Amino acid sequence: MEETVEVTIKPDGSVEIHVTGVDGMACLSTTEELVTLLGGQVESQELTSEAYNVEAEEQQDRLWH
């Protein structure tokens, strides 16, 4: 899957960033510089199911090893 970062600037000036194609919490590091350039203030943050993919796999691997 291709990594995609979608940025939406709303009429009120608020910004939404949506990341797809990145498993685990790497999405946070992917957008870190962009967030800083946009002012660095995060009003709210919602993680998608992709954010939990790698962590769940890593936890399962630890149980089996």
Side-chain angles (χ1 to χ4, degrees), residues 35-60:
V35 169
T36 300
L37 291 171
L38 293 170
Q41 294 179 327
V42 176
E43 188 173 301
S44 67
Q45 180 175 316
E46 294 178 34
L47 299 175
T48 65
S49 60
E50 287 180 324
Y52 300 102
N53 285 347
V54 172
E55 286 185 14
E57 289 174 15
E58 288 175 356
Q59 287 177 356
Q60 188 174 23

Side-chain angles (χ1 to χ4, degrees), residues 2 4-5 14-16 20 25 29 38 42 45 51 56-58 64:
E2 183 179 2
T4 305
V5 178
S14 63
V15 178
E16 288 185 0
T20 56
M25 297 299 183
S29 60
L38 293 170
V42 176
Q45 180 175 316
E57 289 174 15
E58 288 175 356
W64 294 103

Side-chain angles (χ1 to χ4, degrees), residues 8-41:
T8 304
I9 301 173
K10 296 182 177 185
D12 67 0
S14 63
V15 178
E16 288 185 0
I17 301 172
H18 184 83
V19 179
T20 56
V22 178
D23 282 339
M25 297 299 183
C27 59
L28 298 177
S29 60
T30 299
T31 59
E32 183 177 13
E33 185 176 350
L34 181 57
V35 169
T36 300
L37 291 171
L38 293 170
Q41 294 179 327

